[in-house]
Amino acid sequence: MELLKLLIIDAWFAWIPAVGFAMVFNVPKKMLIYCAVGGAFAHSLRHLLMHFGIPIEWATLAASSSMGFVGLYWSRKHLIPRPVFTVASIIPMIPGSYAFTTIIGIVELNSGGYSLELMQVIVENGLRTLFILGALSFGLALPSILIYRGRPIV
Amino acid sequence: MELSREQQTELTRIAVKAGQILHQHGAESRLVEQTTQRLGTALGAQSIELSVSSDSIVITSLFNGNCITTTRRCYDRGINMQMVCDVQRICVMAEKQLMDAAQVKDRLQRLKPMKYNRWLVVLMIGFSCASFSHFFGGDMPVYITTFFASAGAMILRQELAHRHHNPFVNFALAAFVATSISSLGVIYDFGEEPQIAMAACVLLLVPGFPLINAVSDMLKGHISTGIARWVFATLLSISVAIGIVASMTLTGVVGWIS
């Protein structure tokens, strides 16, 4: 029950960035609702998996690949290219804050000189950014890599 | 179906126009390639060969041994998924023979990018970054600080983009403004952990779409376009980081890496 409440709060706060960024990408009005549902679904799925102790990279991969398959269904149904829903839906999971920490760390490394603690921050955050980003894109591309293999989806 | 030389030229121009629109509005290379090829063959070409690079496309149409090649430069017009949807729809209709070449050309020329009301976007982006601050464990005052910081940055970003400023300058300035506004929260001790607002308010400047496009281009075999997009996204992130560091140095408030 407690977990369900957490998930609902998570889903509520995840649909807002999905729709916000979908509007920056000028997703058609009728499709915004799908971005909202997708964003809430993917982020709360990742939250659930991480709650059971799965590392963030694998949880992200699972969430984004299920989003990829959901997007496949929607895109066949509405004859609309998949990135329209899927990219906006996974925007809440993009590791932006890790990425900026990495680069700010590099800037600090230049101005403040080398230190082991700083280097640790840079390497850990940088690697996490790369792996999460790879998991996100790979998960989204999974349907076209595994099932369609070069044929057009719509 | 028999094509005259003029008809083949016309077909090539229509196909390249579709590809150019897709490329300019942020479609991934695979989609640009597939849609252009499908549109070309639907209009009667035997085959369409296409080379997509990061800022231009080259297309050759083939019919009975006749080749027609044309190149288009693709300037970045900003991500617009509505244009991508419309071009895709036109392509599907041409494939089902619901439209002939003249109609396709007419429809492509009449496409106009739809833009959301800018103040609505500012409001939604404000709430988006505020939601990120909630994910980072911020409380209500932090939520409010983040909202105003990112909304201010978004207004500046739209204003500079409207005046066609360089995207790197634009992102650095927006990051500077967002960090400066949110550092007020730290100075006046607004909320439990006001540093969270400084981390959350710049997330509207994460180049998420180019990064995802970069990796999926590379996965699907367009390595060079993927690398170009990756470098572009990395440079954007670096300019954001420069903006953040400049603001932290000026105000003396450290929100990152303490």
Side-chain angles (χ1 to χ4, degrees), chain B:
Chain B
M1 195 156 83
E2 202 55 42
L3 285 179
S4 67
R5 182 88 184 163
E6 284 73 40
Q7 280 174 316
Q8 196 189 346
T9 315
E10 189 63 20
L11 170 167
T12 316
R13 284 189 183 141
I14 293 170
V16 80
K17 177 77 184 163
Q20 191 186 21
I21 293 175
L22 287 175
H23 198 299
Q24 282 181 323
H25 292 96
E28 55 177 329
S29 306
R30 164 77 74 88
L31 192 66
V32 176
E33 193 177 23
Q34 264 175 1
T35 309
T36 313
Q37 283 176 338
R38 285 167 62 189
L39 190 60
T41 41
L43 296 179
Q46 280 166 343
S47 85
I48 298 276
E49 299 298 326
L50 187 69
S51 146
V52 186
S53 69
S54 61
D55 54 359
S56 64
I57 52 179
V58 180
I59 176 176
T60 297
S61 70
L62 199 81
F63 188 78
N64 286 345
N66 273 329
C67 285
I68 294 180
T69 302
T70 181
T71 309
R72 290 289 182 280
R73 185 86 164 77
C74 303
Y75 296 102
D76 192 13
R77 292 267 191 86
I79 297 157
N80 196 321
M81 283 298 118
Q82 175 258 339
M83 292 294 271
V84 175
C85 291
D86 286 353
V87 174
Q88 177 84 15
R89 183 156 294 146
I90 291 171
C91 168
V92 171
M93 282 171 84
E95 245 175 5
K96 290 182 177 152
Q97 306 297 334
L98 294 169
M99 278 200 253
D100 60 7
Q103 283 170 311
V104 172
K105 189 183 177 188
D106 184 50
R107 283 284 294 273
L108 283 177
Q109 268 166 353
R110 274 193 292 134
L111 286 185
K112 262 190 74 176
M114 180 267 299
K115 284 250 162 35
Y116 281 101
N117 181 298
R118 50 177 298 190
W119 297 108
L120 191 62
V121 175
V122 166
L123 189 75
M124 280 310 290
I125 285 296
F127 280 123
S128 304
C129 289
S131 307
F132 284 129
S133 83
H134 170 83
F135 286 135
F136 296 158
D139 50 5
M140 202 57 200
V142 173
Y143 194 90
I144 295 167
T145 321
T146 316
F147 176 81
F148 283 108
S150 50
M154 193 63 200
I155 293 173
L156 181 73
R157 180 179 155 184
Q158 285 176 337
E159 203 56 46
L160 291 181
H162 186 65
R163 282 153 219 254
H164 300 286
H165 275 281
N166 182 302
F168 303 120
V169 176
N170 183 349
F171 272 51
L173 285 177
F176 181 85
V177 167
T179 312
S180 303
I181 296 176
S182 61
S183 64
L184 290 177
V186 182
I187 292 171
Y188 293 105
D189 216 8
F190 195 51
E192 200 66 46
E193 270 185 89
Q195 281 87 357
I196 290 174
M198 292 180 72
C201 69
V202 287
L203 289 182
L204 80 153
L205 300 167
V206 178
F209 214 105
L211 280 172
I212 298 286
N213 263 351
V215 181
S216 66
D217 270 3
M218 287 195 250
L219 276 176
K220 293 170 186 171
H222 295 271
I223 302 277
S224 56
T225 21
I227 292 174
R229 286 184 209 258
W230 182 270
V231 171
F232 178 70
T234 312
L235 285 178
L236 278 182
S237 321
I238 291 176
S239 46
V240 172
I242 301 280
I244 296 171
V245 171
S247 163
M248 289 200 304
T249 318
L250 274 183
T251 55
V253 180
V254 178
W256 297 74
I257 312 181
S258 41

Side-chain angles (χ1 to χ4, degrees), chain A residues 17-38 74 78 80-91, chain B residues 25-26 78-86 89 112-117 120-121 209:
Chain A
V19 172
F21 282 89
M23 286 168 79
V24 175
F25 305 148
N26 296 300
V27 170
K29 274 196 192 77
K30 279 184 208 147
M31 297 298 141
L32 281 180
I33 179 76
Y34 293 96
C35 296
V37 174
W74 285 341
H78 297 279
I80 275 183
R82 236 159 25 105
V84 175
F85 331 102
T86 50
V87 176
S89 308
I90 58 150
I91 281 285
Chain B
H25 292 96
I79 297 157
N80 196 321
M81 283 298 118
Q82 175 258 339
M83 292 294 271
V84 175
C85 291
D86 286 353
R89 183 156 294 146
K112 262 190 74 176
M114 180 267 299
K115 284 250 162 35
Y116 281 101
N117 181 298
L120 191 62
V121 175
F209 214 105

